[in-house]
Amino acid sequence: MVTERTRWWRAAGAVAAGALPCLAFPAPALWWFAYVALVPWMLLLRSAPTGRRAALEGWLGGAGFIVAVHHWLLPSLHVFLLPVALLLGVLWIPWALLVRELLGGTPHGWRAAAALVLVPAGWLLSELARSWQGLGGPWGLLGASQWQVPPALRLASVGGVWLVSLLVVAVNCALVLLVAVPRARVPAVAAVAGCAVLTGVVWLWLPRPEASGGVLRVAVVQPGLMADGPDGASGPTTAGTTGTTGTTATAAAAAADAAQRRFDAQERLTGTLVGRRVDLVVWGESSVGADLAARPDLSRRLAALSARVGAPLLVNVDARRSDRPGIYKSSVLVGPQGPTGERYDKMRLVPFGEYVPARAVLGWATSVGKAAGEDRMRGAAPVVMGLPDGTRIGPLVCFESAFPDMSRELTRMGAAVLVAQSSTSTFQHSWAPAQHASLGALRAAENGRPFVHATLTGVSAVYGPSGGRIGPALSTSATTAAVYELPLARGTTLFVRFGNWPGGAAVLALAAYCALRGARAVRPGRPAPEPSAPPARTVRGSAARPGR
């Protein structure tokens, strides 16, 4: 009999086990740990006495994973992070039921083989569901922990980060069989060997991005923190202000002052690039705090700066537009004659940071943390911009770099370079800057295109077409303008051609399994299946058997 104390210990263990994979992501960046991180959680789930208990422990473990991977959001969301984690934790319940059904008891033969396919597919289903922007987006996908492993990046060029996630979960599943089910060691060893062979085949024989012979010299301008402003730890912010009019006015004035000082700092740093022969200068997210049409003085300064450096500037305007209502975050290309007219408005906004979902119901979050006091407006479509030398760039803003489909669409539109403008200054001393910068490696490898991740306060990083880092990253303590030489590539990766086919294959495999189970359940005269979990223990220690 499972006692009440045991239930509580199992619940606590589920939360802790679900949180373990966070160590594979930056900043710890123990990438190898991802291949064993799920084993404790899966061992717990396979021993669940009932399906209801497995569902509970899957839910709690999923919530623990969300809190651990997103713990740096606590300064912004405060206690609101817990209900968000509990909501998203529900997405792991189907996976937990699969683990108990396929790995519980003594699986061998077809059930062990099915587990090695369906358990990874079930995990991927949870990742696909929470990757919807309405649920927060694809931050913390398990495959993203492998951003610095070249063979994993090669797999990403075949099936995106999704294929890497499948492989990582498959290895964890095989280890569970090796540890807990001696009779299933043959299929477990075969699965590990198969993953290794697949990775080796892709590494050795899949064509690498074909160099076009061109090189683009890109400068990344990182001004660093602006003290006593929205970037500073002690500065006021207008994001969630609900106080008096005087307080709001003071916060707005401080924000405007910080934005102006940031602009001046970026202007000075960009001036150091004169004579260094660059093709493009990239500023970070919210690098310009006023609409350029409403501030012709800023537009003239940027145009003069472009003329001096001899290259266009890609800036990011975070302001209320003068030609339409609302606040937009926009990538704007500025040349020696001023804005070129090529502009991209951010399409996917950060929940709570840039808009509050169902504000009529959840608007109270602005009084608890740093949720957006006013919703930003969304752009309508992706944009590819042309540079004077004919190179085409695809801009992304902030956490849009986490969405594989967005960079893929820009590549299909002809972008030769992907550029993400970001700012994680609110989370400066957390794991967030390193986690965000690491995503550029996956997007570069998936698309076979160089990727520039430019931030206001670090970490800024640049990656080549295969996902390998180019030059040193700019840390959160750096204030500089750094120049990188990006080798351009041509050709198309399998991921760009076929998209998220691993997700489709996972859904089909799970649908086939559900159909098979349904057909067997309604087949007349068939006895009920034996429980897959170990038999429950009675108070006297004897095993409770079916029918006794």
Side-chain angles (χ1 to χ4, degrees):
M1 178 182 293
V2 179
T3 66
E4 190 66 24
R5 183 177 181 182
T6 301
R7 291 192 183 97
W8 281 106
W9 276 111
R10 287 183 65 93
V15 174
L20 282 178
C22 76
L23 299 177
F25 296 89
L30 305 176
W31 62 266
W32 53 268
F33 187 64
Y35 294 92
V36 299
L38 298 180
V39 171
W41 190 8
M42 294 169 72
L43 289 174
L44 184 70
L45 292 173
R46 72 178 293 272
S47 67
T50 64
R52 183 176 180 180
R53 189 71 202 181
L56 174 64
E57 292 168 358
W59 175 42
L60 293 175
F65 176 79
I66 292 296
V67 170
V69 174
H70 298 80
H71 71 274
W72 42 269
L73 283 172
L74 281 169
S76 294
L77 294 185
H78 292 286
V79 295
F80 202 70
L81 179 59
L82 182 58
V84 169
L86 291 173
L87 172 65
L88 294 178
V90 172
L91 299 175
W92 274 270
I93 290 178
W95 176 73
L97 294 174
L98 274 173
V99 171
R100 179 182 180 274
E101 176 66 26
L102 296 172
L103 294 177
T106 55
H108 60 278
W110 74 267
R111 191 150 68 92
L116 292 165
V117 174
L118 295 173
V119 169
W123 178 277
L124 190 60
L125 191 66
S126 69
E127 291 199 337
L128 292 172
R130 72 183 180 90
S131 294
W132 177 48
Q133 199 266 331
L135 291 179
W139 192 285
L141 302 181
L142 195 58
S145 66
Q146 306 303 296
W147 66 277
Q148 55 185 330
V149 183
L153 292 174
R154 296 285 289 150
L155 285 174
S157 72
V158 176
V161 66
W162 318 109
L163 182 58
V164 184
S165 286
L166 281 175
L167 181 139
V168 171
V169 181
V171 172
N172 277 271
C173 187
L175 291 178
V176 170
L177 290 173
L178 287 171
V179 169
V181 189
R183 294 178 63 185
R185 286 177 179 170
V186 171
V189 171
V192 173
C195 290
V197 169
L198 171 64
T199 304
V201 168
V202 170
W203 176 260
L204 293 173
W205 283 292
L206 192 74
R208 285 166 170 74
E210 183 181 354
S212 66
V215 173
L216 192 75
R217 288 175 57 85
V218 176
V220 173
V221 176
Q222 182 174 298
L225 287 171
M226 297 293 109
D228 299 320
D231 293 338
S234 61
T237 176
T238 59
T241 302
T242 57
T244 64
T245 303
T247 302
T248 303
T250 301
D257 177 66
Q260 186 60 53
R261 286 186 286 111
R262 183 193 301 121
F263 186 95
D264 295 340
Q266 291 168 129
E267 188 178 37
R268 288 193 299 272
L269 289 170
T270 305
T272 65
L273 299 171
V274 175
R276 298 182 65 181
R277 195 178 59 79
V278 296
D279 301 305
L280 175 67
V281 180
V282 182
W283 289 11
E285 179 188 12
S286 304
S287 49
V288 178
D291 185 68
L292 294 179
R295 289 288 304 275
D297 57 318
L298 297 182
S299 182
R300 286 193 295 269
R301 287 171 65 179
L302 289 171
L305 191 59
S306 173
R308 287 173 54 204
V309 174
L313 314 178
L314 184 68
V315 301
N316 189 270
V317 178
D318 183 1
R320 196 174 302 278
R321 288 184 63 161
S322 58
D323 59 341
R324 63 183 66 175
I327 302 174
Y328 288 79
K329 284 192 176 181
S330 306
S331 300
V332 179
L333 195 64
V334 181
Q337 307 304 317
T340 63
E342 295 187 286
R343 176 188 190 118
Y344 166 66
D345 297 323
K346 185 177 183 180
M347 298 170 61
R348 297 184 183 172
L349 306 178
V350 179
F352 297 99
E354 294 170 338
Y355 79 102
V356 176
R359 184 176 288 272
V361 178
L362 303 177
W364 59 270
T366 61
S367 63
V368 176
K370 299 179 181 179
E374 177 182 349
D375 291 350
R376 296 298 198 271
M377 306 299 289
R378 301 176 188 272
V383 174
V384 172
M385 303 176 180
L387 300 182
D389 66 354
T391 303
R392 305 181 74 191
I393 63 171
L396 299 163
V397 182
C398 191
F399 94 137
E400 289 182 332
S401 65
F403 292 86
D405 65 302
M406 295 197 72
S407 54
R408 175 176 177 258
E409 180 61 23
L410 289 171
T411 302
R412 290 168 64 88
M413 292 171 63
V417 177
L418 302 170
V419 181
Q421 297 171 293
S422 178
S423 171
T424 50
S425 52
T426 305
F427 314 105
Q428 187 73 357
H429 303 293
S430 71
W431 294 359
Q435 283 185 19
H436 200 177
S438 71
L439 298 175
L442 272 298
R443 303 293 87 84
E446 288 169 347
N447 295 279
R449 297 292 184 269
F451 193 100
V452 178
H453 180 81
T455 72
L456 292 179
T457 60
V459 174
S460 298
V462 177
Y463 302 93
S466 296
R469 181 179 288 165
I470 297 177
L474 303 182
S475 71
T476 53
S477 62
T479 298
T480 187
V483 179
Y484 300 87
E485 291 193 354
L486 277 63
L488 302 181
R490 55 173 172 255
T492 306
T493 66
L494 293 178
F495 176 72
V496 172
R497 290 181 187 174
F498 302 111
N500 183 16
W501 62 264
V507 171
L508 287 176
L510 291 170
Y513 174 70
C514 292
L516 179 62
R517 286 297 306 270
R520 295 179 66 185
V522 300
R523 187 179 302 169
R526 183 174 182 86
E530 293 291 329
S532 58
R537 308 299 297 183
T538 66
V539 176
R540 296 181 180 179
S542 60
R545 299 293 179 184
R548 292 186 62 185

